[in-house]
Amino acid sequence: MPSLTRDEAVARAALITVDAVEVDLDLDRGAEVFGSRTVLRFTSADAGGSTFVDLRPVELHGVTLNGRALDPAALDDGRLPLDGLAAENVLEVEATMAYGHDGQGLHRSTDPADDEDYVYGHLFLDAAPRVFACFDQPDLKVPYTVHVTTPQHWSVVGNGAAQQVSAGRWELATTQPLATYFVTVCAGPWESVTAEHDGIPLGLHARRSLAGPLREQAEQMFATTRACFDHYHRMFGIRYPFGEYHQVFVPEFNAGAMENPGCVTFRDTYVFRGAATPDQVLERDNTIAHEMAHMWFGDLVTMRWWDDLWLNESFAEYMAYRASTEALGADEAWVEFAVVRKLWGYAAERSPSTHPVAGSPAPDALSALQNFDGISYAKGASVLRQLIAHIGDDAFVAGVSDYLHGHAFGNGELAEFLDAMARAAGRDLDGWAQAWLRTSGADRLALRRDGTLTRRAPADRPADRPHTLDVAAFDGDREVLRAEVVLDGDTAGVGGVRELPAHALVVPNAADLTWAEVALDEETLDGLLGGFSDVPDPLARAVVWTSLLGGMARAEVDPRLVVDLVESAWPREDDASVLTRVPLAATSSVIPLFLRPEEQAEALERVALAADVLADRATATEGPPGDALALVAARVWGRTGSDVERLQRWAAGEGLLPALTDDDDFRWIVLRRLAALGALDDAALARAEEGDRSLAGRLAALGVRAARPTAEAKEWAWSRLADDPDLSNYAALELARGFWVGADTELVRPYVDRVGDLLARMGERMGEDALSRVATALHPKWVVEDATRRASAALLTRRDISPGVTRALLDEDHVLREALASHRRFA
């Protein structure tokens, strides 16, 4: 099916106005297909004109336009021509549709814990025509009325308030005008918890097998939801406009969450099956805040076309972190932003696929999918922080309110937003927008010990970006300098730096206020091993970690220094996000990619030893803080330890922390490590699978089987990916993630040249969004050799792999090249 182009969308929007859509879905036809009946009422500016409707059925049973039957055979590649339009039109379409198993369209999944099925709609980008006939573009917003037939024991949640009118029959209230990609229906035997806040009915829903954790965690999630509603009502001056507010935790969800108005869908791993660390709860809170922000940015006011997706994602990203700090009291949220989101964004900025925050060309809808990355999220949020520094927070809030009020229930674009901001600020913002929004690339900031702060823009993407930031310096556990700086040129002077002790650690952008990669000076790099763990500011520590990992990727920092600091400084860390993310970066990137194969086992052992040090510290720390440290220590050791007897005891449930005794997710971490060490026999794996018959357990078992270091295991995993037509998006991802990492290079090297054929084959049955994620894991970058670089380059020239998947491969090719450059310099 061709993806709708911008030119086609503009022409169709100029011709028609959609007034109402009624959708009737029959989900009681078995596990593979469902019935779909659509009635679209629309007007045409050109009586006698023509357009097309988007539709991807298994079988098209009938179509009538204004009572006139159309030939179903006219449907061509997802488009049905509509000729001879009247001024007022009624289009009726009846079809049979296929459920998706790739997280797109109407996805159906079976929970092996009780063999119950669940269905949810994810209609993002080009997926809506897989569910109902539609004019699938974001600027043709329309009220939807949805009816659903289900098995009698199911319940239904959707954009409008759902009411059961008879056994297995549900009617949903007519919605406010929605873009097509926001429409959703979630159906199944849900476990539901309800509440109310400020006149807004609230609901939380998850699979029945997650009933216990959902009910235990519901009040905390409701408290977050209430606080965020209050915060956004105060800030925007517009009440939540979409009626009820449901949050549905659905299986096998590709993204973290989706902002469907009135019915937000989340991946169900946010309902924690076992013990949760503070950073996990923070991440869930932030995601709740992010999706709620979309109710205003994206849902109430929707981008006119996909090249302005930043108006959705950058704002939701920024607003979520602001709400986390101001409404939830989680000041540590910006630390998580620095060490998680900005790492993601800086990596995207370094890659060949970098793009501007705003106005990045999206000639068709599908190409926009490629820009849902760390630039649109993390960089966009950072740029908004710089905008606030540039015009002041009062002007920013006033401009936001102006923009939302002026475009409510409609669409907006960059120029209109900038006009609102300029009116509020009383100044022209074109130059600022050109530098920060319309030009890609991250500046490099460095501070010399003579007090000169320098800015260097990418040579191939020059821009004059003003930066508002700070500089901090630390002598042991004392902060000895904090200076605010406005860098509106290539250099600026920072007072007090000359007088610092030679061994002081100096951190530009210590409060992480701006978007720029920080290069630490040589004296600071040399002093990290001795003094880094004493730095009292967690945000400054996060900035240092981000700088080191970015410098490693640029072959400027020896990866061994990162491992040294994980061993020496990380066990003394206090911030929950840094505690979790730093060892994850070490085990998922630093060690397997940037160290030579012969160095990796020792490096993992050093991380495991650091985890033991953290565990000892946890024992000496009373109460919840000590419990959280102990959880992190156990999980890190479970991923890195090589003491097989200890791992086997843990897998059997012996010698564990009380919080981990019945934690199946932790058990799978340990089993995966045993598998990678070649120490997991078939009987033990079979017992584990029998003991955890949940969906999460079934998926984890696939990854564990793929991680076993035998030729038989690798061929089995590869064959499942290639030949299993029923493989879900999550199952494919688990197999891909388990295939390469930790395996003997000799064992997997024969597969390096086979990746392209496998992805092309999988592309015949899996949507681009899901396959792009699989391609990221399946890229052979884990075999860090020049031969792999040549194979990777060949992948990018294939015509049988879609552009979106090729974009994912391009980014991974860049990671491989970064690893090879590091090997050449530091080996």
Side-chain angles (χ1 to χ4, degrees), residues 421-508:
M421 285 293 162
R423 285 194 297 272
R427 59 198 293 190
D428 181 80
L429 294 175
D430 283 348
W432 182 92
Q434 180 62 35
W436 274 113
L437 295 175
R438 297 191 181 100
T439 307
S440 63
D443 292 342
R444 296 286 305 284
L445 301 182
L447 181 65
R448 297 198 295 262
R449 288 293 174 125
D450 65 0
T452 303
L453 181 66
T454 64
R455 178 193 70 180
R456 189 174 81 239
D460 57 340
R461 297 182 296 277
D464 185 15
R465 300 181 188 89
H467 294 269
T468 300
L469 69 151
D470 67 348
V471 171
F474 305 92
D475 184 0
D477 60 0
R478 294 185 306 117
E479 181 178 303
V480 293
L481 176 69
R482 180 75 66 162
E484 295 183 0
V485 184
V486 176
L487 181 60
D488 197 4
D490 290 335
T491 62
V494 181
V497 175
R498 289 178 179 272
E499 292 75 31
L500 290 173
H503 59 270
L505 305 182
V506 182
V507 186

Side-chain angles (χ1 to χ4, degrees), residues 344-360:
W344 175 39
Y346 288 142
E349 194 84 286
R350 289 193 304 270
S351 73
S353 62
T354 185
H355 57 87
V357 172
S360 186

Side-chain angles (χ1 to χ4, degrees), residues 532-552:
F532 181 41
S533 58
D534 294 323
V535 170
D537 181 352
L539 195 47
R541 297 196 302 270
V543 169
V544 170
W545 281 115
T546 302
S547 172
L548 290 172
L549 291 167
M552 180 194 71

Side-chain angles (χ1 to χ4, degrees), residues 261-284:
C263 187
V264 179
T265 44
F266 296 80
R267 64 181 182 220
D268 62 8
T269 52
Y270 279 127
V271 179
F272 308 125
R273 298 199 308 160
T277 54
D279 68 290
Q280 288 178 283
V281 177
L282 173 64
E283 180 186 5
R284 183 175 67 188

Side-chain angles (χ1 to χ4, degrees), residues 70-93:
L70 303 184
D71 184 2
L75 179 66
D76 182 23
D77 208 7
R79 296 181 174 186
L80 181 68
L82 304 177
D83 299 320
L85 297 177
E88 296 184 358
N89 302 273
V90 178
L91 178 69
E92 300 175 76
V93 179

Side-chain angles (χ1 to χ4, degrees), residues 436-746:
W436 274 113
L437 295 175
R438 297 191 181 100
T439 307
S440 63
D443 292 342
R444 296 286 305 284
L445 301 182
L447 181 65
R448 297 198 295 262
R449 288 293 174 125
D450 65 0
T452 303
L453 181 66
T454 64
R455 178 193 70 180
R456 189 174 81 239
D460 57 340
R461 297 182 296 277
D464 185 15
R465 300 181 188 89
H467 294 269
T468 300
L469 69 151
D470 67 348
V471 171
F474 305 92
D475 184 0
D477 60 0
R478 294 185 306 117
E479 181 178 303
V480 293
L481 176 69
R482 180 75 66 162
E484 295 183 0
V485 184
V486 176
L487 181 60
D488 197 4
D490 290 335
T491 62
V494 181
V497 175
R498 289 178 179 272
E499 292 75 31
L500 290 173
H503 59 270
L505 305 182
V506 182
V507 186
N509 197 30
D512 201 34
L513 296 175
T514 194
W515 179 264
E517 295 205 71
V518 170
L520 300 173
D521 66 88
E522 289 299 324
E523 292 89 344
T524 296
L525 285 172
D526 290 343
L528 287 175
L529 284 176
F532 181 41
S533 58
D534 294 323
V535 170
D537 181 352
L539 195 47
R541 297 196 302 270
V543 169
V544 170
W545 281 115
T546 302
S547 172
L548 290 172
L549 291 167
M552 180 194 71
R554 294 189 301 270
E556 296 170 358
V557 171
D558 192 330
R560 296 169 188 81
L561 173 60
V562 179
V563 176
D564 290 344
L565 285 170
V566 171
E567 184 178 26
S568 64
W570 170 75
R572 298 177 61 185
E573 179 59 54
D574 291 319
D575 182 83
S577 295
V578 177
L579 272 169
T580 297
R581 299 297 177 157
V582 164
L584 186 61
T587 56
S588 65
S589 176
V590 179
I591 294 172
L593 288 172
F594 289 86
L595 292 185
R596 303 290 298 181
E598 59 271 18
E599 300 175 277
Q600 293 174 12
E602 180 188 0
L604 284 173
E605 188 62 31
R606 291 172 65 193
V607 175
L609 290 171
D612 279 335
V613 173
L614 182 63
D616 291 341
R617 180 180 157 210
T619 302
T621 305
E622 296 182 356
D627 296 340
L629 294 176
L631 278 176
V632 173
R635 288 172 178 170
V636 172
W637 198 95
R639 290 199 303 267
T640 58
S642 58
D643 182 341
V644 170
E645 290 186 4
R646 181 171 168 185
L647 288 166
Q648 289 174 335
R649 289 196 305 274
W650 282 9
E654 301 170 3
L656 292 172
L657 298 169
L660 294 175
T661 300
D662 297 315
D663 190 328
D664 287 322
D665 291 333
F666 178 72
R667 186 172 295 110
W668 285 112
I669 289 174
V670 174
L671 291 169
R672 187 184 179 100
R673 181 59 179 156
L674 282 167
L677 292 170
L680 183 65
D681 60 36
D682 291 337
L685 182 50
R687 287 194 300 272
E689 290 178 292
E690 182 62 29
D692 183 8
R693 297 179 61 84
S694 68
L695 180 59
R698 183 178 66 180
L699 293 167
L702 289 174
V704 167
R705 288 187 178 277
R708 300 170 87 180
T710 67
E712 293 78 13
K714 300 307 175 186
E715 184 55 39
W716 169 84
W718 200 265
S719 297
R720 285 291 302 272
L721 287 166
D723 301 327
D724 188 345
D726 299 322
L727 202 65
S728 73
N729 53 330
Y730 266 41
L733 190 57
E734 285 297 324
L735 289 168
R737 285 173 171 167
F739 187 84
W740 299 102
V741 181
D744 177 31
T745 301
E746 296 296 328

